[in-house]
Amino acid sequence: MVNLHKEVDHIFNLSGSYSLNSETFWRLQGWGIGLVVLLAFSPKLFHLQEYAFFTILTVAVIACLKEEKPVWTKTPYDYPLLGFLGWILFTIPFSYDPWASLEEAQKVLAQAAVFYGTCLILRERSNGPFLPQVMYPLLCGAFLCYVFSLWDFWDRGGNLWDREVRAGFPKLDGTDITWLSTNVLMVLPMLMAGWGLSYGWKSRGLWGIVFFLGLLCLLFSYSRGAWLGCAAQIFILVWVFYRRRFFQIAVTGFMCLALLAGSLAYFNLHGRMFDPSTVKGRFLVWDLGIADVWEHPLVGIGYGNQIFEQHHQADFQAQRVARPDVPDILTKPHSWYLSVAVGTGLPGLALGCWLIGKIGQTVYSQFLNEENRS
């Protein structure tokens, strides 16, 4: 917070020159991105967040044009990202429901605009402390979101011994378990980074408390997919920082997980967690998705899970009758890779994997560069 006070004092001490006014403007834009980050911790505020960001982006573009600066910011992800977006748009006319695919494509384009708009503001804030303008709102938003979700979980009778009540973000139509677990997975690395960048036990204690709250939300969501995602993050973290002892740590972690799973099964706790019918349900919906990819390998059936659900309504009804051993028939692929392949074909899947690989390669290269410098 000391840096924030220094920045506020600096703003009031600025002279009337254009360059300093420009610096002040881009500093305020940085805090605008912080506001967008804060609003991101509630799905109820999604539209408000959307309006806030595109207002900030519009003002930033106008300012760049006025200052005769380039609006486009080059990134290492331009080719795979634009290729992926372009292929989604190309497949819309071939969709079973082109209007629904267009609606889903607009969401992806909006996410791309968020990425490039943030890169634009980050470029102009390269000479100032942009990181605190994002990390402070992230810390506050995560704390409020996770406390609210855990309080709701406890109030509904949630506990550690069964999976009947699961933690999620409270909404009028029920709790959103998927949103909360996905949010925690994305925020945990940022919380860990905030802890590492902090100095002093008080600051690190705050980051550590919010990190622990996030882990509790992830645990009580009882989402096996989110748990696997967290395990993958730990796997990568250990490989990056402890490569020499990676094998020993991995074997020890696997043995601990196996012991935990065996204990839960032995004491008949979380029986639904080990119910084979949930795996069978995934196999059923994956069979439908693979069949769609086989029939439409080039352009898919249309981007968006909504089209997949509409296209297979009769199949879902038939599965409910023919497979009474599977109580919960899934209507979505529950796999990003399969969803992309079904919606946009194998070229779309290849472009999506290229984008993910490029992100991983760039992040790891930056890490190696910083490691070599230090």
Side-chain angles (χ1 to χ4, degrees):
M1 298 301 292
V2 176
N3 292 333
L4 174 61
H5 294 156
K6 290 182 179 179
E7 287 194 17
V8 172
D9 293 337
H10 181 60
I11 291 175
F12 284 103
N13 292 328
L14 293 175
S15 63
S17 66
Y18 176 76
S19 61
L20 291 179
N21 285 334
S22 176
E23 181 182 350
T24 304
F25 169 79
W26 289 110
R27 182 180 292 112
L28 294 176
Q29 287 287 95
W31 285 112
I33 293 295
L35 174 63
V36 172
V37 170
L38 182 63
L39 294 175
F41 282 94
S42 173
K44 301 177 181 179
L45 302 177
F46 170 76
H47 290 296
L48 179 60
Q49 178 200 21
E50 191 176 34
Y51 298 146
F53 175 79
F54 282 103
T55 300
I56 293 170
L57 178 60
T58 302
V59 174
V61 169
I62 294 174
C64 283
L65 295 176
K66 182 178 179 181
E67 298 177 7
E68 298 182 352
K69 294 179 179 179
V71 176
W72 184 263
T73 303
K74 293 183 179 180
T75 72
Y77 319 116
D78 291 345
Y79 291 120
L81 177 56
L82 296 179
F84 183 57
L85 294 175
W87 188 259
I88 291 176
L89 295 175
F90 173 76
T91 60
I92 289 177
F94 305 97
S95 170
Y96 278 88
D97 188 344
W99 291 110
S101 291
L102 179 61
E103 184 178 352
E104 292 295 320
Q106 290 175 350
K107 299 177 183 178
V108 183
L109 293 174
Q111 293 170 353
V114 170
F115 170 71
Y116 280 109
T118 305
C119 289
L120 170 63
I121 296 175
L122 179 60
R123 183 194 71 192
E124 297 300 321
R125 292 288 296 126
S126 59
N127 60 341
F130 179 71
L131 192 61
Q133 296 177 324
V134 174
M135 298 301 283
Y136 289 154
L138 183 139
L139 180 66
C140 296
F143 175 79
L144 294 174
C145 174
Y146 300 158
V147 168
F148 184 44
S149 300
L150 289 172
W151 178 266
D152 174 77
F153 170 74
W154 179 265
D155 187 59
R156 289 184 292 113
N159 58 73
L160 191 60
W161 312 115
D162 59 61
R163 196 171 179 252
E164 299 303 321
V165 179
R166 303 169 62 185
F169 192 88
K171 296 170 63 177
L172 293 178
D173 55 349
T175 55
D176 198 332
I177 300 168
T178 302
W179 183 91
L180 179 64
S181 57
T182 304
N183 176 280
V184 173
L185 277 181
M186 293 189 296
V187 173
L188 281 182
M190 299 295 292
L191 295 175
M192 186 175 295
W195 182 86
L197 294 172
S198 300
Y199 298 97
W201 67 270
K202 292 183 179 180
S203 180
R204 287 200 166 189
L206 288 175
W207 287 100
I209 290 172
V210 179
F211 183 85
F212 179 70
L213 291 174
L215 288 179
L216 287 180
C217 287
L218 197 65
L219 171 65
F220 293 134
S221 70
Y222 297 124
S223 174
R224 290 161 297 188
W227 290 357
L228 287 176
C230 185
Q233 290 180 345
I234 296 173
F235 180 88
I236 296 173
L237 181 69
V238 172
W239 183 74
V240 169
F241 289 100
Y242 303 99
R243 270 168 285 183
R244 294 181 180 180
R245 293 184 294 169
F246 174 76
F247 181 75
Q248 295 91 328
I249 296 176
V251 171
T252 303
F254 178 78
M255 292 178 62
C256 292
L257 290 176
L259 180 62
L260 176 61
S263 301
L264 291 176
Y266 179 78
F267 291 104
N268 197 26
L269 299 174
H270 294 279
R272 292 186 60 188
M273 192 74 66
F274 305 99
D275 189 349
S277 66
T278 59
V279 179
K280 294 177 182 178
R282 277 168 171 73
F283 284 156
L284 289 175
V285 75
W286 289 346
D287 286 342
L288 295 176
I290 293 172
D292 286 336
V293 177
W294 181 260
E295 294 177 7
H296 307 276
L298 189 59
V299 294
I301 66 173
Y303 185 75
N305 287 327
Q306 178 183 354
I307 297 174
F308 181 82
E309 295 180 51
Q310 294 174 354
H311 182 56
H312 290 291
Q313 281 297 329
D315 296 314
F316 298 146
Q317 293 293 340
Q319 288 177 354
R320 291 186 180 96
V321 175
R323 298 300 302 270
D325 57 320
V326 183
D328 297 324
I329 297 296
L330 302 178
T331 59
K332 298 178 182 178
H334 287 264
S335 167
W336 181 86
Y337 300 97
L338 185 57
S339 295
V340 172
V342 169
T344 62
L346 295 178
L349 176 62
L351 290 168
C353 292
W354 181 22
L355 175 60
I356 293 175
K358 188 64 177 178
I359 293 173
Q361 178 190 10
T362 304
V363 171
Y364 186 61
S365 298
Q366 291 284 351
F367 171 78
L368 291 181
N369 291 337
E370 293 297 328
E371 189 178 42
N372 293 331
R373 290 177 185 176
S374 59

